[in-house]
Amino acid sequence: MRSHLLSQSQSHLSTTMPAGPDDLASSGLSTALLSPSLPSNSHHDAAMGVDEMLRSFAGEFGAWQLRHFTLVSLAWALNAFHTMVVVFADREPDRRCVGRAGCCAEPGSWEWSSGPGASTVAEWGLVCGEKYKVGMAQSAFFVGSMIGAGIFGHLSDSSLGRKGTLIVTTALNAVFGLLTALSPSFWSYAALRFLTGLATGGVGLSAFSLATEPVGPSMRAPVAMSTFYFFSLGAVLLALMAASFSNSWRTLYTISSLPSFLFLVAVLPFVSESPRWYLVHHDIPRAMEVMRTIAKTNGNQLPDNISLLLDSDISQNTLPTSNIIDVIHSPITRTRLILTVAINFLSSIVYYGLSLNVGNLSTDLYTSVILNAIAEVPAYALTAMCLKWSGRRPLTIGTMWLSGMFCAAGSLLPDIRVWSAVRTACSVVGIFSMAATFDLLFIYTAELFPTVVRSAALGCVTQAGQTGAIAAPLVVVLGGNWPFGVFGVCGVVGGVLGFFLPETLNRPFYDTMAGLVSGEMGKGVEDGHGHFVC
């Protein structure tokens, strides 16, 4: 899960655009790490985009990008800690009878097996008529994530930048997470979960952009999908921590929040701001400084007289600023935004719902969480492989329908222990498929919108995902076969909506709204070498 939320490969094209995704068919990680040969002096005094400079001179995915990608993507593991901790902290522990003749129906005739501090449910008595508060606290987190995605998505595109946003949100997550462990009451606990969600909503957006924007077109899609391995890793590590501290939810919150402080002081100082963000803000000297560092670390060198250029005319010396209002005003981007928002909303209900529904499957909680996390790993790998030859649209439709079919099948099975293994299998396949959809939507969305509004558009789509995540706990508390039934309908409907999205395979990636509109309205032409010139 991500406040993922979630679907990401944001290379931004300038006046020249490599063919991009189809290069995947002939390029692998080892190939990308090789130093490209330097072109002739004809490139002197030339202006080009980030993609072209990476491809021709700096290297598309070398030692610099690998190190930078790994460091930044660790933020997704932290996201998993802050998002998934409620599965363990808000669980309902086992009870044991203390009355005579084994009668546990009367008040005072039972006690919590692990003690009253094992979970928030045990400490504050969130059972029977108070059970709704469990879903309320979980929904509060996703309400915060929804608002945070909008706020920090805009700040990431504008004043704070990608790195600044990641620094702020990571610091807030660490502080709010530790304060949550000190909550004196349920209502303060719910309020702090809201604030934690507010910060978490900005972590994924900024981390995804930072990890993928310095990567060249031939490695864009597989690198983007690989960011989400770190979320799955975080979920597994959290389950192991929760098993070790099962008697104290407060200790679990403390242990799961401390890594954010470590990331802040030991990792982020070594992370670079995105050269694309510098470029769209006309800070070309800093953008070139980053590009020279990339080239040098990759064993290459940039010619002295080349420079970066946007995909729209910059001779006016005006900043090509845009915001979400511009996205809505443009017929091209408005339709894309509506569809991606709707699809992400539906996929989020299924993804988060299946993750939170493990408590209803009559299986070991820790094992179920680990199985769900492990199921996501091959989903990312297979999707990355399929992106080499398949478009984004058929993959989105197919994965949503596959998840919907298995969730629908799970809803038809009796809600009794003898069928728990089969229902768990339906859940695992469902989350396997929806994990692929959920993360593919980040890539798809990033390819549909230009650099100047990319984080803002991702923020809107993430907000829709968080809205679905708000609804997910309320669906889960219905119990029985209802959650699976709702998840099945969401998967099928989301797949149908996917038919109305444009395909982005082999299409250019733009820096500005003007560049996108010009290209998509048929004013761009290919130069015969796989480059797209606006």
Side-chain angles (χ1 to χ4, degrees), residues 179-238:
L179 290 177
T180 303
L182 303 176
S183 302
S185 66
F186 166 79
W187 295 110
S188 61
Y189 172 77
L192 285 165
R193 285 301 292 167
F194 167 81
L195 293 174
T196 303
L198 194 73
T200 302
V203 171
L205 297 176
S206 52
F208 182 83
S209 295
L210 277 174
T212 57
E213 286 184 345
V215 176
S218 71
M219 291 300 296
R220 182 166 39 231
V223 168
M225 290 300 297
S226 297
T227 59
F228 307 111
Y229 291 125
F230 290 83
F231 190 93
S232 299
L233 173 63
V236 172
L237 293 176
L238 178 65

Side-chain angles (χ1 to χ4, degrees), residues 328-363:
I328 296 172
H329 281 169
S330 170
I332 295 175
T333 53
R334 179 173 60 243
T335 302
R336 296 178 178 188
L337 185 66
I338 292 172
L339 288 170
T340 51
V341 161
I343 294 172
N344 209 40
F345 170 75
L346 295 171
S347 67
S348 185
I349 291 178
V350 181
Y351 181 83
Y352 285 97
L354 288 172
S355 298
L356 296 173
N357 195 49
V358 292
N360 291 334
L361 296 179
S362 302
T363 56

Side-chain angles (χ1 to χ4, degrees), residues 436-449:
T437 305
F438 199 69
D439 298 323
L440 177 61
L441 284 173
F442 259 78
I443 299 174
Y444 208 169
T445 302
E447 294 175 345
L448 289 168
F449 299 93

